[in-house]
Structure formats: C-alpha cells, structure tokens
Amino acid sequence: MPWIKILHIASLLCWCGALLYLPALLLGSAMPRGVSSFRAPTPVILRFLFTHVATPFALVAIMSGTLLFIVGQLTGGWLVLKLAAVTGMVFCHVLCGGLIVRLEQARLRGMIPASALVAAVAASLMLAVLILVLSKPFG
C-alpha cells in the first residue's frame, strides 16, 4: 500500500504541475507578438506536453488513486467530494487539450480569458483536493 500511495502522490504532483503549466503556456502563445518578452512555444510543443507528459501522469494518478481506495477500502463523504474535485480537474485537462487544438487552428479569439479561467479553476480544485485529503478522518 505505501508504494501505491507514493506513486499516487508523485503522479498527482506531476499532473497538477502540468495542469498549471499548460494554461500558462497557452496564455503566452495567445498573446499578440511584442506584448510579452516571453518566447511562446509552438503548438507542436504544447501538444507534445499534453499528450506525452500531462495525460500519462493524469492517468497514472487516477488509476493509482482508484487502487488506493479499493485496496484501503476507503469510504466517506470526503471521498465523494474529492472525486468530484478530481472530475473537475479532468474537465480542466480536457479543456487544455481543446485550447491547444484551437491554437493549432489559429483561432485565438477568447484564448486568453479561457486559459486564465482554466488555470484558476484547476488551482482551486487542486486546493480543494488537498484540503479534503488533509482533513479526512483517520481510521
């Protein structure tokens, strides 16, 4: 069980980092030239990060978390709330993918507020997960 927990925490940290990093890169890519001194990554790099870094970490985090509550026979209201927050994080992940596709198609209208909103919602959900896990009853 400790190895599953370590795998879950490590993959969750990487997924959360990617879920905050991708909207930031999308924001930089959607900025008009000359507004930012930041050299925006190409859509190819964003797609690579999404498909080969963020998504595998998300899948490992979700699978190891599922295994944790099956093996540990965890139940409770906090778990339902945590799973709801994780579902919201999955939606943010999917929205990042959709924004990357829009960037590839050069449809930049609304990209800046959408990217900022995804980052803010994802950060709020991550905080909710952290609070729920740290405040869960023991035993």
Side-chain angles (χ1 to χ4, degrees), residues 14 17 23 27 40 51 81 96 102 116 126 129 137:
C14 293
L27 272 170
T51 57
L81 293 173
C96 279
R102 285 188 58 196
M126 289 174 211
V129 167

Side-chain angles (χ1 to χ4, degrees), residues 12-78:
L12 188 62
L13 281 172
C14 293
W15 180 35
C16 288
L19 203 50
L20 294 175
Y21 190 57
L22 283 171
L25 290 176
L26 282 161
L27 272 170
S29 297
M31 293 276 182
R33 302 273 188 237
V35 171
S36 172
S37 60
F38 170 73
R39 180 167 160 76
T42 63
V44 174
I45 293 171
L46 283 167
R47 180 178 282 270
F48 177 83
L49 286 172
F50 181 79
T51 57
H52 292 87
V53 177
T55 301
F57 279 123
L59 292 173
V60 170
I62 292 167
M63 287 188 290
S64 61
T66 303
L67 197 58
L68 265 176
F69 83 80
I70 290 173
V71 170
Q73 298 177 348
L74 302 173
T75 57
W78 68 272

Side-chain angles (χ1 to χ4, degrees), residues 81-105:
L81 293 173
K82 178 188 174 251
L83 292 176
V86 170
T87 302
M89 289 170 57
V90 169
F91 282 126
C92 289
H93 186 91
V94 170
L95 287 173
C96 279
L99 290 172
I100 291 169
V101 170
R102 285 188 58 196
L103 182 66
E104 290 173 341
Q105 297 170 349

